[in-house]
Amino acid sequence: MSRLHQYVGGEHLRQDAPDKVTGEAIYVGDMAFPGMLWGRFKSSPIASGRILRIDTARARALPGVRAVLTGEELDHQLGLYMADKRILARGVVRYQGDPVAAVAAESEAMASEACNLIEVEYEPLPAVLDVEQAIEPGAPLVHPDLGSYRYMKGVFHPQPGSNVAHHQKIRRGDLEKGFAEAHRVFETSFWNPAVPHVPLETHVVIARALSGDRVDLWTAAQSPFTVRHLMAAGFGIPHNNIRVRIPYVGGGFGGKAGINLEPLATMLSKATGGRPVKIVATREEEFNTLPSRQGLKSRIKAGVTREGKLTALEVRYLWDAGAHADYGVNIGRAAATAGAGPYFVPAVKVDSLVVYTNKVFGTAFRGFGHLEVLWGIERNLDMMAHALGIDPFEMRQRNFLTPGEPTITGEIFTANHGRPDLCLKTVADAIGWSERPREDHPPKRPAPIGGKRRGYGIASLHKSPAMPVYTSCSCILKFNEDASVNLLISGVDYGQGTYTALAGIAAQELSIPVEKVHVTWDCDTATQPYDWQTVASRFAVMGGNAVIAAARDCLDQLKAVAAQVLHAPVEDLVCENEEVYVRKDPGARLHYRQLVIGYSFPNGSSIGGPVIGRGRYIAQGLTHLDPETGQGRNALNWTYGAHGVVIEVDTETGDIDVLKIASCMDAGKVLHLAAARTQVEGGVIQGLGSALIEGFKFDESGRLLNPSFVDFKIPTAKDLPREASQHFIETPQLDGPHGARGIGEHPMIAIPSAIGNAIYDALGIQIHELPLNAERVFLALKHAQPNDAARP
Amino acid sequence: MEHPIKLTVNGQAWEGSVLPDLTLLRFVRETLALTGTKEGCGIGECGACTVLLDGRPVNACMVLAVEADGCALRTIEGEAKAGKLSRLQQAFVAHHAVQCGFCTPGVIMSAQALLERAPAPSDEAIVEAVAGNLCRCTGYASILKAVRSCTPHGRTGGER
Amino acid sequence: MQSFSYEKPGSTAAIVARLAEAGGTARLLAGGTDLIGQIRSRLVKPSLVLDLKGARELALLGADASGLSIGAAVILNRLLEERAVSEGPYRALTQAVSELASYNIRNRATLVGNVTNASPCADSVPPLVVLDARAEIAGPSGTRELPVLELISGVRETRLGPGELVTRIRVPAPAPGTWSGFLKRKRVRGHDLALANVALLRDPERGRLRMSVGSCNPVPVLLDLDAMFARPEVERAVALALERVRPIDDVRASIEYRREMVAVMVRRLFAEAPRS
Ligand SMILES: Cc1cc2nc3c(=O)[nH]c(=O)nc-3n(C[C@H](O)[C@H](O)[C@H](O)COP(=O)(O)OP(=O)(O)OC[C@H]3O[C@@H](n4cnc5c(N)ncnc54)[C@H](O)[C@@H]3O)c2cc1C
Ligand code: FES
Ligand code: FES
């Protein structure tokens, strides 16, 4: 008999969709409060300089201006992992876009006008824009005071007196021996530019600074409790004094993790005696001032046997953190642990340096450094395969981690970790890898210019959530009179579909229709239970476990009361289809409705009371990484996956037409099929953006050249692959809810690598830089021609 | 100087006056308090602000409110009638074509206008109609499916 | 946005009168897709914005045997919707229009606005140039006409005098058998400005072969290739084009790539054009 109310793996509708298709969904930008003022800030036009003078007199004199602030008035040093950021620049500016002064005024126009009237005089200082130059001795220091900053000790290792905010080391095995045993050693390097997240909703916040050091915030942020915690730490006030509310959020992708404009809005509010202050970042500010994905330079040295087995790997990752590395340090740490790919490597040395430069700073971005790292690793693997005459598919199969082998941080891979091999095989089959044309693919010499050429590419990926060892999550389920429930949890669903999946888990556990589970979308730290952060694809796993625990708690409460009413032992009771009945006597049953707010006997006497379930989950068995060797257990779980692509390159223009993309993730268990599929669809296109289109460009003085949609392009509906397929493998995660793992970030991670590999298959040229836009591809092919320069 | 203007907003008459530098987007969001229409860039590039002016989808951030004088203005708030979602809105729900939802009102207005001017649009026409609306979440596939499902061939064709 | 006053005169004559009175501080508003952005970014600071959509005659779109007459208030999508235009012998123009911005922007943007905005990358200009289009100009001293190419004098500069506006663009009907084509290179397949764009026209009746290249020089370049009409020499045409274009290195593309793409587009248009 098929059971009722089975939702895990199903396709029930998203609860937020009706609000969003009607325009009824309220985002922070849609909110207004009586007496609300508009905040705006003025930012630095230069990448590095000393602030000689800020004259705010004309701004203050403007009618309607209620407050003007500069860095001199703000003493707070902010940060989660590395407190290297001020609310407004003080003394020096560190990037073009660095906010130097701010205004609160009665209207947005007045606030803008006031910002224009603020005069700032700078003495330009030498800017350091390149990571390699930044680590040279004698390079200008972006943070001369690095040694005095607060940071998370034991986890990060800043090097005061340099531009290195964190140095993550991973050491395992005998490197010398590994290289000595190699049949060949390959050395190469790769580069990724910084890429912004581009949520359609820019950062926006409303703050009220209330009496007694209390703060009310409404913000478009990913993580209510982290906002609260960072505000508490930054301002030195109790957590409970801060109330953070997060309504619908218009996309985050990591860019709304941590805090951004919240402290500034708060200080502006405070300066106006507590009037609500709203700041909405313009799209230009979103690019210029708010954080993006870090750039990366990778240098890889790899030893392989004649058969293509890796013997040793030595990698240096230089992360271009930009002017602040609060989050960047954690990316440099986490991505390093995945920095060899999903392979067994006997000897490894990874040095991952998070380096300050005078550019807009980096933060978490869907994939958390893994797209960047795998751009090098997965491209290099293909290069070695071709050099050795081994099929790239085969080369990977020979090197994948197999049960019993250690990862580079010493975690033992088990059969329950997932199936990188099957993911790769799935995508290879989906694109017809084994039947691909071999004749002249890849060509021995760079393909001649003329006509179109096809190429096939594959790449593997893996990622674990990057989070502190103590990361936890909690959930409350409260029943209503009609036996519907409210699900309270604090992992903001800004579109990923997590809440929809969690509603399904709750409904299935409670055996009620999913329509009766109402996830409370607006998050409020005053009423919702604690959660760490909505990042790292960890939420489905940890939130799912918390929901299951809360549901079971509810069932226990229902049964306890039912046992008294039905005169049956609790162990004999079954909860099914909104009813509790006695297993041996199914006629003895009670509807949940009779129990959820308390049961009344016919004579009126009542027992029980409102049923409120509580569930929690904490990451277990995680350890800090050893500072010298990087050995330890930092992965809650690993999600493996792969991408396969078929492309057609126009050799005369460099245009790439993506004919097919197949993606496969080992999801453990697909909690919600439609949510999973659409997450992959969206992630793949975002990955294509990184692969083909997106990247910040700076001029030699450090000015951002493409800070608007005119020149920063993202994929449109015309820029899609002709065919995209999504596949899932389900190797249950032992401690995952129903065996599930996170898949939120993974769909974009290896897209650039697969495309880069396909370009080689098509053209016989290796490109080491992203994005693979038409210009880069064409010029690379042109300059690889034997008779280059013969053309115009 | 304020200019008196008269228009219909989702079928209802509106009369009032506006400053010349007020964009139609601001007018809709602030004066009319119809916040379903979003701002994603303010320079005509993203389509989050799409509304219909006399049936044509336009980027409200690139239109002045005074220019709407005498026009029929439609916003996302007018699409559901008496609490019932339009067919296209239902299709967006059914096809999971919504993630963060910030682009959704604009996309729906662009697509709705297409379905009204060409009840049986080709796939190419659907793409052309929504390509001015950026979406960072969905990768567009589910959006295109939802719109297609509202065309005669989409209805018979079912899922891909 | 910088504040300004707004007027919507009811006739061309009234617009001319107000333009002349206001001197240089007035700006014409057609679709506003360039102007509103320019005001917001303080590139222009008009004290008066004159909406030309109040003048009925400017909204007229004429298409007959003599050619097209496109009023200053005619939006770009109308050119694609009007069969006499989209199916008429103006292929390069309609191709350019259908690749200009996004569908929704084209519901406001006008052809005349695209020309008068005088951006080097304006997509409609190379096709208009090869099609011999002329701008009809109204001003305090009556009306006059200028070839489109002569109207544009530099980056965002035109030869319009004080108080003058373009009332319509006339595109003469090409001789029977005329073929024209347009190509544009951009960074995405979605809406984007051109890195370079090229229009080619081949008129067998008059033995004309004309090419115009945009987005490379301050003003699009016109190449008269009539001499090779009988025996087109592609590589010579490429060389002539490359001799004339002076693209810049910028965020959109390098000089090298722009030049290469001009060459590719010229070759492709030549390959596409009928032989006889
Ligand atoms: C998102 C976006 C994408 C775009 N993509 C493209 C593209 O791909 N290719 C391209 O070429 N352009 C593009 N544009 C630019 C713009 O849309 C076009 O140039 C458009 O055709 C301008 O017409 P308009 O009616 O909107 O002009 P307006 O903005 O109204 O006017 C433009 C200028 O011309 C002046 N003017 C207007 N009418 C007259 C007249 N009759 N006489 C004299 N002067 C006049 C105005 O004062 C103003 O200076 C894009 C714009 C946006 C916002
Ligand atoms: S806000 Fe109007 S197009 Fe982006
Ligand atoms: S759903 Fe988020 S931008 Fe489209």
Side-chain angles (χ1 to χ4, degrees):
Chain A
M1 191 184 88
S2 78
R3 285 195 57 197
L4 281 165
H5 309 312
Q6 296 296 297
Y7 299 107
V8 171
E11 297 210 61
H12 52 278
L13 297 180
R14 301 176 62 108
Q15 296 193 350
D16 51 337
D19 274 0
K20 290 174 176 176
V21 298
T22 51
E24 289 167 347
I26 300 285
Y27 299 76
V28 178
D30 304 332
M31 298 175 143
F33 293 96
M36 191 174 83
L37 299 171
W38 290 82
R40 292 212 62 79
F41 55 86
K42 185 178 187 79
S43 53
S44 166
I46 58 172
S48 175
R50 200 181 316 284
I51 301 171
L52 297 178
R53 185 180 65 92
I54 304 187
D55 186 346
T56 59
R58 285 171 65 209
R60 284 177 204 277
L62 198 72
V65 170
R66 300 290 170 248
V68 180
L69 288 177
T70 68
E72 288 308 316
E73 291 133 84
L74 305 172
D75 204 24
H76 320 81
Q77 192 83 18
L78 307 171
L80 176 63
Y81 300 122
M82 166 61 71
D84 63 3
K85 200 166 177 304
R86 290 189 165 276
I87 300 175
L88 292 170
R90 187 187 228 191
V92 295
V93 289
R94 295 188 168 89
Y95 65 103
Q96 182 248 315
D98 205 351
V100 287
V103 172
E106 297 287 345
S107 75
E108 203 174 7
M110 286 173 193
S112 299
E113 185 54 29
C115 280
N116 289 334
L117 294 176
I118 295 173
E119 288 166 34
V120 190
E121 202 182 311
Y122 301 94
E123 174 198 337
L125 294 174
V128 49
L129 302 172
D130 174 76
V131 274
E132 266 159 353
Q133 282 164 14
I135 56 167
E136 291 288 319
L141 295 183
V142 181
H143 289 273
D145 300 332
L146 180 57
S148 69
Y149 294 169
R150 176 168 52 79
Y151 68 97
M152 194 183 269
K153 300 219 164 56
V155 180
F156 299 109
H157 315 292
Q159 298 179 352
S162 79
N163 284 314
V164 177
H166 174 54
H167 182 175
Q168 181 69 49
K169 295 180 190 172
I170 296 177
R171 306 282 186 268
R172 193 178 174 81
D174 185 339
L175 203 67
E176 225 169 283
K177 182 164 160 266
F179 280 120
E181 282 170 9
H183 162 62
R184 284 189 58 183
V185 174
F186 295 86
E187 285 187 67
T188 179
S189 44
F190 296 89
W191 177 76
N192 303 62
V195 171
H197 309 75
V198 198
L200 256 275
E201 174 201 42
T202 59
H203 284 73
V204 46
V205 59
I206 301 171
R208 279 177 83 199
L210 303 170
S211 59
D213 276 343
R214 288 173 306 131
V215 180
D216 261 9
L217 290 171
W218 290 261
T219 179
Q222 283 176 226
S223 313
F225 286 91
T226 295
V227 170
R228 191 180 72 169
H229 177 65
L230 287 171
M231 293 287 293
F235 290 105
I237 54 179
H239 287 72
N240 226 347
N241 281 18
I242 302 161
R243 183 167 180 189
V244 180
R245 273 166 277 196
I246 301 184
Y248 282 118
V249 177
F253 314 110
K256 291 174 181 166
I259 48 173
N260 289 290
L261 298 173
E262 292 86 351
L264 180 59
T266 303
M267 293 319 283
L268 283 172
S269 172
K270 191 168 184 178
T272 61
R275 289 180 65 176
V277 173
K278 180 179 195 174
I279 306 180
V280 187
T282 64
R283 181 57 60 184
E284 285 66 27
E285 288 164 351
E286 187 73 21
F287 284 119
N288 254 315
T289 296
L290 288 148
S292 63
R293 182 167 82 203
Q294 303 182 109
L296 176 68
K297 272 191 181 170
S298 330
R299 197 176 66 195
I300 301 173
K301 180 177 168 192
V304 278
T305 65
R306 197 183 295 276
E307 295 73 38
K309 288 278 285 177
L310 287 159
T311 61
L313 192 64
E314 185 177 355
V315 190
R316 190 190 68 179
Y317 292 121
L318 291 183
W319 298 92
D320 192 344
H324 304 288
D326 175 24
Y327 237 104
V329 291
N330 200 30
I331 297 162
R333 180 190 69 92
T337 68
Y343 308 109
F344 170 63
V345 194
V348 198
K349 178 173 185 249
V350 178
D351 288 286
S352 181
L353 282 78
V354 180
V355 181
Y356 288 119
T357 58
N358 291 110
K359 291 188 284 194
V360 58
F361 61 108
T363 190
F365 186 128
R366 194 177 197 174
F368 213 68
H370 291 60
L371 179 146
E372 300 91 297
V373 159
L374 290 178
W375 165 241
I377 293 293
E378 284 299 288
R379 293 277 295 111
N380 182 53
L381 209 88
D382 254 48
M383 292 179 186
M384 296 193 295
H386 290 300
L388 295 168
I390 301 174
D391 183 294
F393 175 83
E394 186 52 37
M395 175 97 172
R396 287 181 175 79
Q397 295 292 354
R398 287 179 196 172
N399 285 289
F400 279 135
L401 284 159
T402 57
E405 286 172 343
T407 66
I408 62 170
T409 53
E411 179 183 343
I412 301 300
F413 183 87
T414 70
N416 306 309
H417 270 66
R419 296 290 301 274
D421 54 335
L422 263 189
C423 290
L424 188 68
K425 178 155 187 339
T426 304
V427 301
D429 289 346
I431 61 166
W433 174 259
S434 56
E435 299 97 53
R436 72 191 189 281
R438 308 290 170 89
E439 177 120 0
D440 201 28
H441 283 279
K444 298 266 164 327
R445 294 213 173 102
I449 292 174
K452 296 186 174 176
R453 286 186 64 96
R454 279 200 183 191
Y456 286 65
I458 48 173
S460 291
L461 65 95
H462 65 161
K463 183 183 179 298
S464 67
M467 57 196 207
V469 289
Y470 51 76
T471 300
S472 64
C473 173
S474 54
C475 167
I476 292 172
L477 285 173
K478 49 180 196 125
F479 267 95
N480 301 309
E481 299 90 316
D482 60 354
S484 65
V485 290
N486 288 78
L487 194 167
L488 275 60
I489 199 159
S490 306
V492 175
D493 185 333
Y494 46 92
Q496 321 90 306
T498 333
Y499 280 5
T500 306
L502 294 184
I505 292 177
Q508 181 163 329
E509 286 294 328
L510 295 168
S511 196
I512 64 175
V514 71
E515 296 74 25
K516 288 185 120 175
V517 179
H518 305 280
V519 183
T520 304
W521 226 272
D522 298 19
C523 195
D524 182 341
T525 53
T527 55
Q528 304 267 116
Y530 175 82
D531 181 71
W532 173 65
Q533 285 226 64
T534 317
V535 295
S537 312
R538 59 166 274 278
F539 191 64
V541 172
M542 301 195 65
N545 280 328
V547 168
I548 290 173
R552 294 193 177 155
D553 187 17
C554 288
L555 295 179
D556 287 347
Q557 294 175 38
L558 289 168
K559 284 182 186 169
V561 178
Q564 294 183 53
V565 178
L566 299 174
H567 302 291
V570 166
E571 308 81 65
D572 285 358
L573 295 180
V574 179
C575 291
E576 206 174 80
N577 196 20
E578 303 186 83
E579 290 183 319
V580 191
Y581 65 87
V582 182
R583 198 186 312 273
K584 283 174 286 190
D585 178 12
R589 55 177 63 227
L590 291 167
H591 194 276
Y592 286 180
R593 237 181 351 252
Q594 295 169 273
L595 299 165
V596 290
I597 55 163
Y599 180 82
S600 287
F601 287 100
N603 73 356
S605 74
S606 303
I607 57 169
V611 172
I612 299 176
R614 182 197 65 152
R616 59 185 191 180
Y617 192 74
I618 187 161
Q620 278 154 33
L622 301 189
T623 66
H624 290 314
L625 300 177
D626 182 277
E628 287 311 313
T629 66
Q631 301 298 296
R633 168 101 203 259
N634 76 322
L636 180 69
N637 54 46
W638 288 90
T639 303
Y640 296 93
H643 294 293
V645 301
V646 184
I647 62 169
E648 190 166 78
V649 192
D650 184 332
T651 60
E652 293 164 21
T653 60
D655 283 325
I656 291 177
D657 196 357
V658 180
L659 306 180
K660 254 188 204 172
I661 290 198
S663 307
C664 182
M665 315 289 140
D666 190 339
K669 168 76 194 171
V670 175
L671 291 174
H672 186 273
L673 190 56
R677 201 192 59 234
T678 50
Q679 271 302 99
V680 175
E681 283 173 354
V684 162
I685 300 308
Q686 209 170 16
L688 266 187
S690 286
L692 300 177
I693 305 169
E694 302 171 28
F696 272 159
K697 293 184 179 180
F698 297 88
D699 71 9
E700 39 325 319
S701 72
R703 191 171 61 92
L704 182 60
L705 294 173
N706 48 352
S708 88
F709 279 146
V710 177
D711 285 312
F712 196 95
K713 293 290 169 188
I714 64 170
T716 73
K718 291 185 179 175
D719 296 280
L720 306 184
R722 309 238 163 161
E723 204 184 308
S725 61
Q726 306 84 32
H727 311 262
F728 299 100
I729 304 282
E730 299 189 321
T731 311
Q733 175 74 25
L734 293 182
D735 52 0
H738 297 269
R741 324 185 165 84
I743 54 157
E745 301 168 273
H746 309 76
M748 74 180 289
I749 289 180
I751 298 276
S753 318
I755 300 221
N757 290 341
I759 290 176
Y760 179 70
D761 187 48
L763 304 180
I765 55 166
Q766 297 287 12
I767 302 182
H768 297 241
E769 299 86 24
L770 287 177
L772 301 160
N773 57 31
E775 173 166 10
R776 190 186 305 283
V777 172
F778 174 78
L779 292 181
L781 184 62
K782 177 187 166 196
H783 295 303
Q785 298 298 307
N787 58 345
D788 181 29
R791 302 280 297 274
Chain B
M1 195 190 73
E2 298 224 330
H3 289 258
I5 61 170
K6 262 195 219 177
L7 64 158
T8 64
V9 179
N10 297 326
Q12 301 206 316
W14 191 91
E15 236 184 290
S17 52
V18 293
L19 284 168
D21 59 357
L22 184 72
T23 62
L24 183 60
L25 177 57
R26 281 282 154 93
F27 173 71
V28 167
R29 284 182 54 81
E30 291 167 20
T31 313
L32 302 178
L34 297 173
T35 55
T37 306
K38 303 298 183 203
E39 172 164 355
C41 70
I43 59 167
E45 289 278 353
C46 78
C49 63
T50 305
V51 297
L52 306 191
L53 262 193
D54 290 338
R56 287 189 185 267
V58 301
N59 303 70
C61 67
M62 297 304 276
V63 178
L64 300 176
V66 283
E67 292 184 85
D69 186 21
C71 293
L73 170 69
R74 278 169 62 189
T75 69
I76 189 68
E77 285 84 353
E79 291 305 292
K81 301 278 188 291
K84 189 169 179 307
L85 305 192
S86 73
R87 182 136 161 263
L88 183 62
Q89 288 173 318
Q90 290 174 27
F92 268 64
V93 176
H95 287 84
H96 295 263
V98 178
Q99 291 192 26
C100 81
F102 207 76
C103 69
T104 310
V107 180
I108 288 181
M109 295 317 282
S110 292
Q112 181 64 33
L114 169 73
L115 294 171
E116 289 173 19
R117 71 178 177 265
S122 63
D123 281 2
E124 228 181 20
I126 295 174
V127 169
E128 180 66 23
V130 302
N133 295 85
L134 299 181
C135 174
R136 190 58 154 172
C137 303
T138 64
Y140 307 102
S142 53
I143 291 176
L144 299 176
K145 255 188 251 170
V147 181
R148 202 177 293 136
S149 77
C150 293
T151 67
H153 29 285
R155 241 170 295 158
T156 49
E159 287 272 294
R160 167 170 28 154
Chain C
M1 210 177 343
Q2 180 89 14
S3 65
F4 49 80
S5 54
Y6 168 90
E7 289 173 28
K8 191 174 177 183
S11 68
T12 309
I15 298 172
V16 170
R18 287 299 285 130
L19 257 186
E21 276 166 36
T25 66
R27 278 278 172 163
L28 290 167
L29 171 72
T33 62
D34 280 314
L35 184 68
I36 291 174
Q38 290 162 4
I39 296 176
R40 192 177 288 124
S41 63
R42 295 167 189 260
L43 203 69
V44 297
K45 296 175 184 168
S47 57
L48 170 65
V49 165
L50 284 173
D51 191 342
L52 47 75
K53 295 186 287 294
R56 280 253 178 90
E57 60 277 17
L58 298 182
L60 296 179
L61 170 60
D64 58 25
S66 70
L68 303 178
S69 159
I70 304 161
V74 174
I75 59 169
L76 291 168
N77 278 340
R78 270 192 69 200
L79 302 179
L80 302 178
E81 292 158 7
E82 209 69 56
R83 288 210 162 166
V85 184
S86 64
E87 290 171 11
Y90 310 100
R91 184 165 172 271
L93 179 63
T94 49
Q95 282 178 320
V97 169
S98 61
E99 283 208 50
L100 192 153
S102 60
Y103 177 83
N104 294 359
I105 288 287
R106 294 197 303 268
N107 274 336
R108 299 298 294 177
T110 62
L111 183 76
V112 173
N114 191 236
V115 173
T116 53
N117 188 57
S119 158
C121 65
D123 286 317
S124 74
V125 174
L128 289 173
V129 166
V130 296
L131 284 162
D132 274 337
R134 297 172 75 79
E136 186 185 285
I137 297 163
S141 46
T143 61
R144 60 180 180 127
E145 268 194 16
L146 273 182
V148 162
L149 196 55
E150 277 175 45
L151 174 68
I152 304 168
S153 54
V155 179
R156 295 221 176 84
E157 283 170 14
T158 64
R159 296 205 167 81
L160 291 175
E164 284 190 325
L165 78 150
V166 174
T167 49
R168 54 192 57 256
I169 284 179
R170 291 187 193 284
V171 188
T178 299
W179 176 93
S180 67
F182 170 84
L183 286 174
K184 168 179 181 179
R185 290 289 310 167
K186 47 186 179 170
R187 295 162 294 185
V188 287
R189 284 194 231 136
H191 53 285
D192 190 12
L193 301 175
L195 308 180
N197 48 22
V198 184
L200 180 69
L201 175 137
R202 182 177 180 279
D203 170 355
E205 206 164 280
R206 284 179 283 182
R208 290 176 69 171
L209 193 60
R210 297 285 161 90
M211 186 161 76
S212 176
V213 184
S215 214
C216 287
N217 298 31
V219 176
V221 166
L222 171 65
L223 287 110
D224 180 342
L225 304 173
D226 292 359
M228 64 167 79
F229 179 84
R231 287 190 39 252
E233 299 163 64
V234 188
E235 290 311 315
R236 185 146 160 65
V238 168
L240 287 172
L242 293 179
E243 234 169 68
R244 292 277 302 282
V245 297
R246 297 273 177 279
I248 55 166
D249 268 323
D250 69 7
V251 65
R252 268 165 231 158
S254 63
I255 294 173
E256 181 181 8
Y257 189 62
R258 282 196 160 102
R259 292 177 64 82
E260 290 283 0
M261 291 307 103
V262 167
V264 168
M265 288 189 284
V266 172
R267 288 193 192 102
R268 289 187 176 177
L269 284 170
F270 266 72
E272 218 190 300
R275 292 263 129 192
S276 53

